[in-house]
Amino acid sequence: MKGIILAGGNGTRLYPVTLTTSKQLLPVYDKPMIYYPLSVLMLAGIREVLIISAPAELGNFERLLGDGGDLGLRITYAVQDEPRGLADAFLIGADHIGDGPVTLILGDNIFHGPGFPDLLRDAAQALDGCVLFGYPVRDPERYGVGEVDDRGRLVSLEEKPERPRSNRAITGLYMYDGDVVEIARGLTPSARGELEITDVNIEYLNRGKARLVDLGRGFSWLDTGTHESLTSASLYVQTLEERQGVRIACIEEIALRMGFIDAEACYRLGERLSKSPYGKYVMEIAAPAPLLRAVR
């Protein structure tokens, strides 16, 4: 399976802080925002990732992540010169996707919860059409909303309904089979001239090939598109990391745990950042304590 991170847009809700940088490069506590969606793809076992960004920011992402080789990944880049809807990612990434499955994740979404890697891999292995991830919210009228029947089957999808049929918001994480590019090419743009992801999902629903996976109790889904939500996300990450002594979305650690790189390579990545607590953490999880003391 391939992966796509959509990191375009102008981040206007975060002005003035995004006047000179992409919002996906802003810090969420101790790491750039884009580390969080990248970590989700890695936890799903995905090693080939396309990052789509605005033209002015492409070089910054390349400087941050390179070609992904240090993490055992293959990262490529593409430009979205202006916002044209989420489903535009499938047209931009058509060559990257080929005729195989793909996972799309939005660059400003954060997911965290117990058993998440197993949930992702199970969803990918059982993929037959599309898999959407739902999360219960208090204000579903602000989101795309999925309705399921008493057997848990997805029966309807609505975009920002006035009278929501459920409280399950469709999050910014989507898995699709190889038909998604063809479906995206056949979409009619909205009144705003955008290709809507909900229209893609409804097509799969009409084909009887859309499934909703609930992210329920114990999971957190954070959208960092406003000043308030960005601050809340940083505080959430800070609190968990300080209390538990682990780091959320540490891509070097995930690369090690997933077997993408070995301990020596992971340690070298930590050394580059060794003056920061983040870098020291990477070195510590990569090397046994006696070796670490010897190196210091």
Side-chain angles (χ1 to χ4, degrees), residues 136-186:
V137 295
R138 289 182 298 177
D139 48 357
E141 65 278 359
R142 294 180 53 226
Y143 303 92
V145 175
E147 178 191 10
V148 297
D149 62 18
D150 54 6
R151 296 182 181 180
R153 296 177 302 186
L154 187 63
V155 295
S156 75
L157 288 165
E158 296 180 286
E159 183 66 25
K160 298 181 180 178
E162 292 184 8
R163 297 181 179 180
R165 296 180 182 179
S166 84
N167 70 336
R168 291 178 175 86
I170 304 300
T171 68
L173 175 63
Y174 317 85
M175 290 184 177
Y176 298 99
D177 66 13
D179 291 339
V180 69
V181 175
E182 172 198 353
I183 290 172
R185 284 176 175 151

Side-chain angles (χ1 to χ4, degrees), residues 87-151:
D88 186 46
F90 305 120
L91 304 186
I92 295 172
D95 290 340
H96 170 73
I97 298 168
D99 56 2
V102 64
T103 295
L104 171 68
I105 186 167
L106 305 188
D108 59 359
N109 276 215
I110 296 174
F111 296 85
H112 181 254
F116 196 33
D118 290 337
L119 184 149
L120 291 169
R121 290 194 287 270
D122 289 347
Q125 290 173 3
L127 181 63
D128 180 23
C130 83
V131 174
L132 310 176
F133 295 84
Y135 188 82
V137 295
R138 289 182 298 177
D139 48 357
E141 65 278 359
R142 294 180 53 226
Y143 303 92
V145 175
E147 178 191 10
V148 297
D149 62 18
D150 54 6
R151 296 182 181 180

Side-chain angles (χ1 to χ4, degrees), residues 71-288:
L71 296 166
L73 307 177
R74 181 175 179 267
I75 299 177
T76 53
Y77 301 87
V79 167
Q80 186 182 53
D81 51 14
E82 61 182 41
R84 288 188 295 270
L86 304 187
D88 186 46
F90 305 120
L91 304 186
I92 295 172
D95 290 340
H96 170 73
I97 298 168
D99 56 2
V102 64
T103 295
L104 171 68
I105 186 167
L106 305 188
D108 59 359
N109 276 215
I110 296 174
F111 296 85
H112 181 254
F116 196 33
D118 290 337
L119 184 149
L120 291 169
R121 290 194 287 270
D122 289 347
Q125 290 173 3
L127 181 63
D128 180 23
C130 83
V131 174
L132 310 176
F133 295 84
Y135 188 82
V137 295
R138 289 182 298 177
D139 48 357
E141 65 278 359
R142 294 180 53 226
Y143 303 92
V145 175
E147 178 191 10
V148 297
D149 62 18
D150 54 6
R151 296 182 181 180
R153 296 177 302 186
L154 187 63
V155 295
S156 75
L157 288 165
E158 296 180 286
E159 183 66 25
K160 298 181 180 178
E162 292 184 8
R163 297 181 179 180
R165 296 180 182 179
S166 84
N167 70 336
R168 291 178 175 86
I170 304 300
T171 68
L173 175 63
Y174 317 85
M175 290 184 177
Y176 298 99
D177 66 13
D179 291 339
V180 69
V181 175
E182 172 198 353
I183 290 172
R185 284 176 175 151
L187 294 181
T188 300
S190 68
R192 297 180 299 174
E194 297 184 353
L195 300 178
E196 302 291 350
I197 197 77
T198 299
D199 292 339
V200 173
N201 299 335
I202 289 174
E203 176 59 27
Y204 276 104
L205 179 63
N206 292 339
R207 296 182 181 189
K209 289 194 170 186
R211 185 163 70 93
L212 185 70
V213 173
D214 265 321
L215 302 177
R217 289 191 175 213
F219 273 88
S220 294
W221 169 51
L222 306 171
D223 179 343
T224 55
T226 67
H227 296 288
E228 295 79 11
S229 60
L230 182 60
T231 300
S232 296
S234 292
L235 292 173
Y236 172 85
V237 173
Q238 179 184 17
T239 299
L240 284 183
E241 291 189 351
E242 289 181 350
R243 289 186 178 181
Q244 298 181 358
V246 298
R247 294 195 180 258
I248 297 171
C250 176
I251 55 177
E252 296 85 358
E253 179 179 13
I254 293 171
L256 175 63
R257 305 298 187 208
M258 294 294 294
F260 299 167
I261 59 175
D262 61 21
E264 183 179 352
C266 185
Y267 188 88
R268 287 199 301 269
L269 292 175
E271 278 189 303
R272 298 179 188 176
L273 311 170
S274 61
K275 293 187 177 180
S276 71
Y278 182 94
K280 290 182 173 65
Y281 173 83
V282 173
M283 293 165 66
E284 287 169 359
I285 59 99

